[in-house]
Amino acid sequence: MKAIKNIAVLTSGGDAPGMNAGIRAVVRTGIYNDLNVFGIRRGYDGLVKGEIVPMDAKSVANIIQRGGTMLKTARSEEFKTYEGRKQAYENIQKLGIDALIVIGGDGTFTGASKFIEEFDIPIIGMPGTIDNDLAGTDFTIGYDTAINTVVDAVDKIRDTAESHDRVFVIEVMGRDSGLIALRSGISTGAEAVLIPELNVDYDAIMKRLDKSRKNKSSRIIIVAEGDKEGGEVVADKIKENFPHYDVRLSILGHIQRGGRPSCMDRVLASRLGVASVEGLLQGRRGEMAGLICGQVQFTPFNKAIKHIDKINENLTRIVEILSL
Ligand code: ATP
């Protein structure tokens, strides 16, 4: 096996708070191990276009507390083609880069798997996505910050809902995963949570709204964006069933991606960044570093990208029990 001397790191897919902490950890662990470290700008797009810059300890100073990603991120159609990946390989060969660390979600790891298969380049992945929709880690980098942002926003909406006796339908992020909706729903005392993993039983929800305390002054329904109906339809259905309710829709949108990463995301990204570089040096490749029950573990990309249904039905039961 060829000794690794030069590594490069990139962030890909949607940005997630904590990616900067991950980049910092990779760069500094690389330097600590006498490696040369490069940063690839704008994900696979920058890899294909050769936007690769040397990094030093100073270049990642003062970023651990910042949201977004200092390397920027992008989606790349070119990297999905063999020609694009060949160009990417030529770019890293020119600089003598022996191995990569990619921070992203399932698409990022799918692309990395192809790159390894075709060009035999060692790659380790770090789970960077607010959706927490990867197997092989209890939490992805960015998820904790995102749910705390949602909780903060819903608490604020609750104040106005309470003051005006309103029903608020709040749409949160999660195209394929209802984890942001479910956790934030429990922690904001939502009356109901609608997620893509479970079929909506509208009758049950309407009955629950009907049966709930008549003197409730506010009601919050959280809907994941990937839910079959989406927030707008849910709000319309509630209006139809309860014409006397003052129903409002709020789509939280991109505020959920930004902001200072939480302590948990910074520590998670730091641990996984260190583990990724050490894993590469131990000969690992084609795996994602994750944290399972507090321990770092490596999971092959093809298993990590399987969208395991992490929905714990006990959590949906809790929403129902506590919404009396
Ligand atoms: P998020 O969960 O935030 O969406 P992601 O990593 O899943 O993150 P994608 O946009 O799906 O985000 O993937 C990131 C990039 O990975 C794509 O822009 C593309 O360049 C590459 N990629 C995705 N799927 C493939 C594929 N099948 N083959 C090659 N490359 C791919």
Side-chain angles (χ1 to χ4, degrees):
M1 197 171 57
K2 193 178 154 216
I4 291 175
K5 284 308 297 169
N6 304 311
I7 64 169
V9 57
L10 61 80
T11 49
S12 166
D15 65 305
M19 280 181 160
N20 278 328
I23 296 166
R24 172 179 177 270
V26 168
V27 170
R28 294 207 169 158
T29 310
I31 294 168
Y32 184 85
N33 285 282
D34 296 325
L35 305 178
N36 298 308
V37 188
F38 293 85
I40 298 162
R41 292 169 59 77
R42 299 186 314 96
Y44 291 137
D45 195 44
L47 189 59
V48 174
K49 293 180 176 145
E51 293 177 36
I52 305 173
V53 292
M55 307 284 281
D56 59 21
K58 176 93 174 54
S59 63
V60 290
N62 207 21
I63 63 166
I64 194 167
Q65 76 278 27
R66 299 213 181 119
T69 159
M70 56 97 74
L71 286 176
K72 298 188 180 287
T73 183
R75 318 240 183 219
S76 167
E77 284 309 311
E78 270 178 290
F79 194 76
K80 288 189 178 170
T81 67
Y82 175 78
E83 284 311 311
R85 292 192 293 274
K86 186 159 169 282
Q87 180 61 55
Y89 178 66
E90 284 164 11
N91 291 338
I92 57 174
Q93 260 208 323
K94 262 187 250 160
L95 294 167
I97 292 167
D98 311 301
L100 300 179
I101 290 178
V102 297
I103 310 175
D106 53 359
T108 301
F109 301 153
T110 304
S113 295
K114 291 195 176 160
F115 204 44
I116 297 173
E117 214 175 279
E118 291 161 350
F119 300 102
D120 193 28
I121 173 116
I123 306 181
I124 289 288
M126 289 168 58
T129 165
I130 62 167
D131 289 339
N132 200 25
D133 59 350
L134 293 164
T137 192
D138 292 339
F139 298 105
T140 55
I141 298 163
Y143 173 64
D144 182 67
T145 308
I147 49 177
N148 280 298
T149 301
V150 172
V151 167
D152 188 48
V154 176
D155 285 348
K156 287 175 175 149
I157 291 173
R158 178 73 87 174
D159 288 346
T160 183
E162 192 76 16
S163 305
H164 287 271
D165 297 334
R166 280 179 182 154
V167 175
F168 262 90
V169 173
I170 303 174
E171 190 178 288
V172 303
M173 279 189 172
R175 265 173 303 164
D176 308 304
S177 168
L179 286 167
I180 292 179
L182 194 50
R183 285 207 165 229
S184 57
I186 290 174
S187 50
T188 55
E191 272 62 31
V193 175
L194 280 69
I195 56 178
E197 291 89 340
L198 298 175
N199 277 327
V200 191
D201 182 349
Y202 275 106
D203 284 347
I205 289 176
M206 297 308 161
K207 270 192 204 131
R208 206 187 305 165
L209 285 177
D210 197 31
K211 263 177 53 191
S212 63
R213 271 183 292 115
K214 299 285 180 254
N215 59 351
K216 271 196 179 192
S217 37
S218 67
R219 291 174 174 82
I220 301 277
I221 320 290
I222 307 244
V223 184
E225 65 177 331
D227 172 69
K228 279 140 216 110
E229 307 281 17
E232 209 170 327
V233 173
V234 174
D236 285 346
K237 287 197 173 162
I238 295 174
K239 271 184 219 161
E240 256 171 50
N241 275 274
F242 302 101
H244 55 291
Y245 283 169
D246 183 3
V247 184
R248 302 295 164 106
L249 170 68
S250 178
I251 298 174
L252 294 191
H254 284 85
I255 60 159
Q256 295 163 88
R257 282 195 179 282
R260 299 165 64 232
S262 65
C263 172
M264 182 170 153
D265 276 328
R266 296 181 201 192
V267 174
L268 177 66
S270 300
R271 288 187 72 180
L272 297 184
V274 172
S276 298
V277 176
E278 290 178 349
L280 271 180
L281 294 175
Q282 288 155 9
R284 291 188 173 278
R285 57 179 66 199
E287 294 176 310
M288 182 195 82
L291 209 63
I292 301 176
C293 296
Q295 300 297 315
V296 172
Q297 299 211 16
F298 289 87
T299 303
F301 284 146
N302 62 351
K303 290 207 173 120
I305 61 180
K306 294 248 152 56
H307 174 73
I308 283 203
D309 219 344
K310 285 188 189 171
I311 293 299
N312 174 346
E313 295 213 6
N314 235 334
L315 297 183
T316 55
R317 224 168 53 82
I318 287 171
V319 174
E320 187 175 339
I321 294 170
L322 300 182
S323 66
L324 284 181

